[in-house]
Amino acid sequence: MKGLKTRSAILDHAADLASVEGLEGLTIGRLADELQMSKSGLFAHFGSKEELQLATIEIARERFMTEVFKPALGTERGYPRLVAICRGWLDYIQRNVFSGGCFFAAASFEFDGRSGPVRDAIKKTMDEWIGAIEKAVRLAVDEGHFGPDVEPAQIAFEINAIFFGANYAYNMRHDKRAITRAWNAIETRLEGLRQSPRPARFAHPEKRVARRRAS
Amino acid sequence: MKGLKTRSAILDHAADLASVEGLEGLTIGRLADELQMSKSGLFAHFGSKEELQLATIEIARERFMTEVFKPALGTERGYPRLVAICRGWLDYIQRNVFSGGCFFAAASFEFDGRSGPVRDAIKKTMDEWIGAIEKAVRLAVDEGHFGPDVEPAQIAFEINAIFFGANYAYNMRHDKRAITRAWNAIETRLEGLRQSPRPARFAHPEKRVARRRAS
DNA sequence: CCTACCGATCGGTAGG
DNA sequence: CCTACCGATCGGTAGG
């Protein structure tokens, strides 16, 4: 019982530290120091640095989903829920939920050129997240809020990209307009999808290229 | 003369290594090992790890500008040049110019929560780059390719965000469609700007907010 | 959960 | 550009 509480306190701190220093920059010695416990005492909870990293990713995932995704599920499916997810993500950045900005943005760019279990765990969480955005777009199509030719994977790609851009501008440039810019970009894009049916040359950019190659 | 050649070889390798391992993960020992020279021999070229990091950022900046930005300057100013810059960036990712993906995307997300000279150098290069995109948009407005109410800073924000998203999808997800998706996103957005004048509620998202604040 | 310790590697230095 | 070395810190272990 007390062991679990300690473990939880370690991981909460580890997630914040890793959002600043990176998952490789996260060291057992520093973590122990800041939590005022011995290195070996902390180490015993995990058995290896990799296990500590994986446990930190898991706690960060729970925090992320609780803060960003779950609240949006209370909104009605389709366009309103998609908007709630996007607003939720922007709020999450503005509230500085992790002290170094979005944990998964940092982790993604730290591990995108590597291999191994840590990279796989980050990718899995990101797949889950981007998949959730994609599903929200698909529901908006199903509900008739978007035209039937809207491509959920394309829109999810774009929304996720805007999130990365907002995280960058907010944390690196300390630009408070980052949130407004991101929201404007998303709103403009999503409102455009509601004007269906759009002219054919704008409706299906992906398929147009595919066709060109096929011919 | 030979000293400069060695220095250049070190930094070329350092930029690739840092794009995978991060600028903190870049260690003098490993770099010396891979270049088959002694640690102290390599170290003597820079005097400190921080100087090595700063020199690596500078060489990466030169590579980036040579590969992405300079070729686009041959295209006529305005919309064509802006498109050339975007295509140049996507080509640069597809050609794997740095082995771990875009050096500056990785460096930006590694250092966005820190302070100090290394962070400042990364930010400065990114400011230069985003400023270049912004200028290209402004020229497109000046040339009459875009409507007069297009906001260069907003569009530069969005294009840079799409680049981050493409870098993520290409390197983490190994998704070859990343380039197509990014291009589709950019093309759709830019083509939309040419349909000026657009209805007022879509034309000026940023200024709309600014006006609201001013009143 | 602790003290005490391990070999390896870190950034950096002395001296040539 | 090298060999030889420094103190500090790394992840991890022994033993309690």
Side-chain angles (χ1 to χ4, degrees):
Chain A
M1 198 60 222
K2 201 203 165 194
L4 283 177
K5 229 177 135 182
T6 303
R7 189 188 146 99
S8 173
I10 293 169
L11 290 175
D12 271 340
H13 196 80
D16 276 317
L17 192 52
S19 76
V20 178
E21 305 288 342
L23 273 162
E24 284 297 333
L26 180 70
T27 70
I28 294 162
R30 179 164 172 188
L31 202 50
D33 217 59
E34 294 185 2
L35 290 162
Q36 305 202 65
M37 61 188 292
S38 69
K39 254 177 64 177
S40 66
L42 191 151
F43 185 84
H45 281 275
F46 308 100
S48 74
K49 180 172 179 176
E50 189 172 289
E51 284 302 321
L52 167 63
Q53 290 173 316
L54 293 172
T56 302
I57 291 165
E58 178 53 28
I59 212 90
R61 178 188 159 276
E62 286 168 21
R63 197 141 117 197
F64 181 81
M65 291 300 174
T66 303
E67 297 270 349
V68 180
F69 188 62
K70 279 184 191 160
L73 290 181
T75 314
E76 46 175 333
R77 58 169 62 186
Y79 185 77
R81 186 179 296 172
L82 178 60
V83 165
I85 291 172
C86 294
R87 285 248 57 117
W89 195 91
L90 297 176
D91 283 350
Y92 145 86
I93 285 303
Q94 222 161 7
R95 287 202 310 274
N96 299 305
V97 169
F98 294 100
S99 45
C102 179
F103 177 96
F104 288 101
S108 293
F109 284 84
E110 184 180 3
F111 279 86
D112 66 356
R114 307 192 195 196
S115 56
V118 175
R119 174 220 160 88
D120 294 345
I122 295 161
K123 182 181 182 301
K124 195 180 163 192
T125 305
M126 285 296 290
D127 282 348
E128 182 187 355
W129 166 241
I130 295 172
I133 300 172
E134 197 174 323
K135 187 178 173 186
V137 175
R138 200 178 315 116
L139 287 175
V141 174
D142 292 348
E143 297 289 324
H145 301 153
F146 290 158
D149 44 10
V150 165
E151 260 204 284
Q154 173 73 27
I155 305 305
F157 168 91
E158 293 183 29
I159 290 173
N160 183 60
I162 295 296
F163 290 160
F164 284 151
N167 187 70
Y168 169 79
Y170 189 79
N171 290 290
M172 181 67 106
R173 313 185 90 179
H174 297 306
D175 186 351
K176 287 169 190 170
R177 288 167 302 181
I179 307 298
T180 312
R181 288 211 194 287
W183 177 242
N184 287 339
I186 290 171
E187 194 184 34
T188 303
R189 182 62 165 132
L190 297 187
E191 285 291 337
L193 300 178
R194 305 190 73 173
Q195 299 173 310
S196 64
R198 312 179 78 201
R201 70 177 295 219
F202 297 114
H204 253 327
E206 178 92 359
K207 282 185 188 160
R208 218 184 343 137
V209 172
R211 243 182 256 133
R212 205 182 280 155
R213 272 190 194 145
S215 66
Chain B
M1 197 61 220
K2 201 205 165 195
L4 284 178
K5 229 178 135 184
T6 304
R7 190 189 145 98
S8 173
I10 293 169
L11 291 176
D12 271 342
H13 196 79
D16 276 318
L17 193 52
S19 76
V20 178
E21 306 287 343
L23 274 162
E24 283 298 332
L26 180 70
T27 70
I28 295 162
R30 178 165 172 187
L31 202 50
D33 216 59
E34 294 184 3
L35 290 162
Q36 305 201 66
M37 60 188 293
S38 69
K39 255 177 62 176
S40 68
L42 191 151
F43 185 84
H45 282 275
F46 308 99
S48 73
K49 180 171 180 178
E50 189 174 287
E51 284 303 320
L52 167 63
Q53 291 173 316
L54 293 171
T56 302
I57 291 165
E58 179 52 28
I59 212 91
R61 179 187 158 278
E62 286 168 21
R63 198 142 119 197
F64 180 81
M65 291 300 174
T66 304
E67 297 269 350
V68 180
F69 188 61
K70 279 183 190 161
L73 290 180
T75 314
E76 48 176 330
R77 58 169 64 187
Y79 185 78
R81 187 179 295 172
L82 177 60
V83 165
I85 291 173
C86 294
R87 284 247 55 116
W89 195 91
L90 297 176
D91 284 351
Y92 145 85
I93 284 303
Q94 222 162 5
R95 287 202 309 275
N96 299 305
V97 169
F98 295 99
S99 45
C102 178
F103 178 95
F104 288 100
S108 293
F109 283 85
E110 184 180 3
F111 279 86
D112 66 355
R114 307 191 194 197
S115 57
V118 176
R119 174 220 160 88
D120 293 346
I122 296 162
K123 182 181 181 303
K124 194 179 163 191
T125 305
M126 285 295 291
D127 282 348
E128 182 186 357
W129 166 241
I130 295 172
I133 300 172
E134 198 174 321
K135 186 178 173 185
V137 175
R138 199 179 313 115
L139 287 174
V141 173
D142 291 349
E143 297 290 325
H145 301 154
F146 289 158
D149 43 10
V150 165
E151 259 206 284
Q154 173 74 27
I155 305 305
F157 168 91
E158 294 182 27
I159 290 173
N160 183 60
I162 295 296
F163 290 160
F164 284 150
N167 187 71
Y168 170 78
Y170 189 78
N171 291 291
M172 180 67 104
R173 313 185 91 179
H174 297 307
D175 187 351
K176 288 168 189 169
R177 289 166 301 180
I179 307 298
T180 311
R181 289 210 193 287
W183 178 242
N184 287 339
I186 290 170
E187 195 184 32
T188 303
R189 182 61 165 134
L190 297 187
E191 285 291 338
L193 299 177
R194 304 190 74 173
Q195 300 175 307
S196 65
R198 310 180 79 203
R201 70 175 296 215
F202 297 114
H204 251 329
E206 181 88 1
K207 279 187 188 158
R208 220 184 339 139
V209 171
R211 243 184 255 129
R212 207 181 278 154
R213 273 190 194 147
S215 64

